[in-house]
Amino acid sequence: MTARPERRPPPKITASYLENASLHYLERFSSSRANLRRILMRKVDRSLAHHGGEAAELAPLVDAVIAKLAGLGYLDDGAYAETKVRTLHRRGGSLRTIRATLAAKGVEADTAEAALATLSEAGPDPDRAAAVALARRRRLGPFRTADKRAAFRLKDLAALGRAGFGWAICRTVIDAASVEALAEEEQGS
């Protein structure tokens, strides 16, 4: 049996290392300040486990890098929240799910609410529009073939309910007579 090759030890934490790691991460993903801080602190913890030291000593270094990147415009929680809200809503995320996702990423509640307010400009009931988008994507309710609709009604209702939509919205979307009727209701409201 061959032995596994030795893993390379984590690098020692310096300001330039943290800045480069941050830029590399931000090239691939958008992030909130709190999320980037969490990622950088994991790198710090990994390095300290190998080299020794205290995380409290390097936390100000992490905060300085985050402040610098925010000052340069690489980190903007408001823009991140708006983008995340639009993306999740388009994919069929309920307002409840979107709020929870933003909170998990460390976006402050007032920033999240400001981003969610942009959805109400798009239409009168953003939660209903997201439910329709999710039903379309997952082929639930009126998007399912007519011969299987009745058999899967409860499962379709449960799927929308688990996605964070209220009972009234779930019933409206799943019990719509057809895709056309659902579209007409949306235009009428």
Side-chain angles (χ1 to χ4, degrees):
M1 195 183 252
T2 59
R4 287 179 132 190
E6 291 278 328
R7 281 188 127 183
R8 191 169 33 155
K12 283 195 173 241
I13 299 297
T14 63
S16 63
Y17 170 76
L18 288 174
E19 191 172 327
N20 289 338
S22 300
L23 290 172
H24 183 69
Y25 182 80
L26 292 173
E27 283 176 359
R28 296 174 293 149
F29 310 104
S30 63
S31 181
S32 65
R33 292 177 193 203
N35 188 51
L36 184 61
R37 185 178 201 294
R38 197 171 23 246
I39 290 165
L40 292 179
M41 288 307 293
R42 277 198 313 255
K43 288 183 177 294
V44 166
D45 291 341
R46 231 177 284 128
S47 177
L48 293 178
H50 187 268
H51 299 289
E54 292 294 319
E57 297 170 0
L58 294 175
L61 198 58
V62 169
D63 292 334
V65 168
I66 289 174
K68 179 180 179 182
L69 293 175
L72 292 172
Y74 292 128
L75 286 173
D76 182 4
D77 283 358
Y80 171 76
E82 286 179 19
T83 303
K84 198 76 165 164
V85 163
R86 278 195 312 272
T87 302
L88 292 172
H89 184 261
R90 193 174 349 159
R91 293 193 71 217
S94 67
L95 297 180
R96 183 179 303 147
T97 303
I98 294 171
R99 274 189 195 92
T101 301
L102 291 175
K105 290 294 185 178
V107 176
E108 294 178 4
D110 57 338
T111 306
E113 289 305 319
L116 285 167
T118 61
L119 284 182
S120 61
E121 297 168 1
D125 191 0
D127 235 7
R128 187 177 181 287
V132 170
L134 183 63
R136 179 180 300 115
R137 206 181 74 175
R138 297 206 29 214
R139 296 192 169 137
L140 305 175
F143 298 97
R144 188 179 290 281
T145 57
D147 58 328
K148 295 183 180 179
R149 260 188 92 174
F152 285 94
R153 180 180 181 272
L154 292 177
K155 287 186 178 193
D156 292 351
L157 285 169
L160 284 184
R162 283 189 304 273
F165 297 105
W167 176 246
I169 290 175
C170 293
R171 281 191 40 218
T172 301
V173 172
I174 298 301
D175 292 340
S178 67
V179 175
E180 294 79 21
L182 198 59
E184 286 174 14
E185 279 182 41
E186 197 167 338
Q187 289 174 352
S189 56

